[in-house]
Structures are given as C-alpha cells and as structure tokens.
C-alpha cells in the first residue's frame, strides 16, 4: 500500500509479480498448407465422417504418460516439454487432416479467379517451390548451403514461369 500517495479515500496498491514459467517451443505455422474449412456449410454426414476420421487419427497418437504423470506444477524438464509439444502438434495435425478429408474447404481468397494454363505450365513448379520452402523452414531457415540453394532456385524457376 502506497501511503505517500493518498489523495482520496482510496489507498493505491503497487504489486510486483515475478512469474516464472517454462518457454514452450512455438508450434510451426502451417497456414501455407491449410485451406479454410467451411464449417458453416458442413452437412451432418460430413461432421460424422470428420468425427470418425478424427477418432481414428487420434487413436494412433501415443499419449506422453511420463510427462502427464509428473507431479511438479513448475516442471521445466526439457524431455517433458518436448513430448508435450510433440503431442499437441500431433493432435492439431490430426484435427486438420481429418477436417481437410471430410469437410468441404473454401478458398482463402474471396476473389479467386482461375488462371488458364496454370496446371499445364506452373503447377509443378509451384509445388516444387513450396516443398523446398517448407524443407528450408523446417531446417531452421539456413542462409547458405544446399537447402538454401534448393529453395532459392526452385522459387526462381516458379517466379520466372
């Protein structure tokens, strides 16, 4: 309580909190791989198919028992954090994959206009550039070396098509 700053019938209160919590690794940004799922227009059959596929996908994920039975609420054990991060990524991936299989997806761009000749001339180059970019990103975005060269050259071929 700050008694020196009393200017009315209220007592100012100053609190400093030191909260320490482990830093979890960031989940990868998969937005370039994801189509928007059109949940609003999903039929009952599609929702049931989603639930069925999701149930199957989730049943294939191993639960990290060692980390979940840990009794320390402030646990910073790197192995526990790693398996929990992996577990959450697997659950998210199972949900996205199930939705993409069972629910109609909508284009992320509302002004989508098909480009004549795209499939004939650009689609393969785009796919190669995208795969090289994802590999480059997963390898820590190196600024030199074979992964960087692969990403740069595939992107250049796509842009010049």
């Amino acid at each position: 309580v700050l008694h020196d700053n009393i200017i009315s019938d209220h007592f100012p209160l100053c609190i400093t909190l030191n909260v320490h919590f482990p830093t979890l690794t960031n989940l990868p940004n998969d937005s370039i791989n994801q189509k928007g799922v059109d949940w609003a227009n999903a039929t009952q059959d599609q929702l049931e198919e989603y639930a069925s596929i999701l149930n199957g996908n989730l049943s294939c994920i191993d639960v990290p028992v060692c980390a979940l039975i840990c009794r320390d609420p402030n646990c910073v054990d790197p192995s526990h954090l790693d398996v929990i991060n992996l577990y959450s990524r697997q659950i998210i991936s199972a949900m996205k994959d199930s939705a993409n299989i069972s629910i109609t997806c909508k284009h992320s761009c509302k002004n989508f206009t098909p480009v004549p000749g795209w499939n004939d001339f650009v689609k393969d180059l785009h796919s190669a550039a995208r795969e090289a970019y994802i590999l480059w990103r997963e390898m820590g975005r190196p600024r030199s070396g074979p992964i960087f060269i692969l990403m740069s050259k595939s992107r250049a071929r796509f842009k010049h098509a």
Side-chain angles (χ1 to χ4, degrees):
V1 177
L2 302 175
H3 293 286
D4 300 351
N5 296 330
I6 299 174
I7 54 175
S8 70
D9 59 346
H10 295 91
F11 294 101
L13 183 64
C14 179
I15 299 174
T16 302
L17 299 175
N18 293 320
V19 180
H20 300 283
F21 54 90
T23 303
L24 301 176
T25 56
N26 292 331
L27 295 175
N29 181 359
D30 310 288
S31 60
I32 62 170
N33 295 333
Q34 291 302 313
K35 299 173 186 169
V37 177
D38 194 0
W39 292 103
N41 294 319
T43 65
Q44 187 61 35
D45 289 342
Q46 288 175 324
L47 294 174
E48 289 172 5
E49 181 183 13
Y50 168 75
S52 175
I53 294 170
L54 179 60
N55 189 36
N57 287 345
L58 291 176
S59 68
C60 297
I61 298 173
D62 293 327
V63 177
V65 177
C66 64
L68 296 178
I69 62 173
C70 179
R71 299 273 184 214
D72 182 3
N74 299 315
C75 179
V76 292
D77 182 337
S79 66
H80 290 179
L81 298 177
D82 289 344
V83 295
I84 290 171
N85 281 333
L86 175 62
Y87 187 52
S88 67
R89 283 193 303 271
Q90 289 172 328
I91 291 171
I92 291 168
S93 179
M95 293 169 68
K96 288 179 178 178
D97 292 345
S98 301
N100 286 335
I101 291 169
S102 59
I103 311 293
T104 304
C105 294
K106 57 185 173 186
H107 291 284
S108 60
C109 179
K110 292 180 182 178
N111 298 327
F112 174 74
T113 305
V115 177
W118 171 272
N119 288 339
D120 297 331
F121 303 108
V122 185
K123 184 177 181 181
D124 294 336
L125 295 172
H126 177 263
S127 295
R130 185 168 157 252
E131 288 172 14
Y133 172 79
I134 291 169
L135 175 65
W136 172 77
R137 190 183 66 199
E138 288 174 351
M139 298 302 284
R141 300 175 187 219
R143 299 314 250 163
S144 61
I147 302 294
F148 176 76
I149 292 170
L150 173 68
M151 188 272 301
S152 299
K153 287 189 176 185
S154 64
R155 178 179 284 180
R157 282 191 293 271
F158 166 63
K159 288 190 175 214
H160 289 34

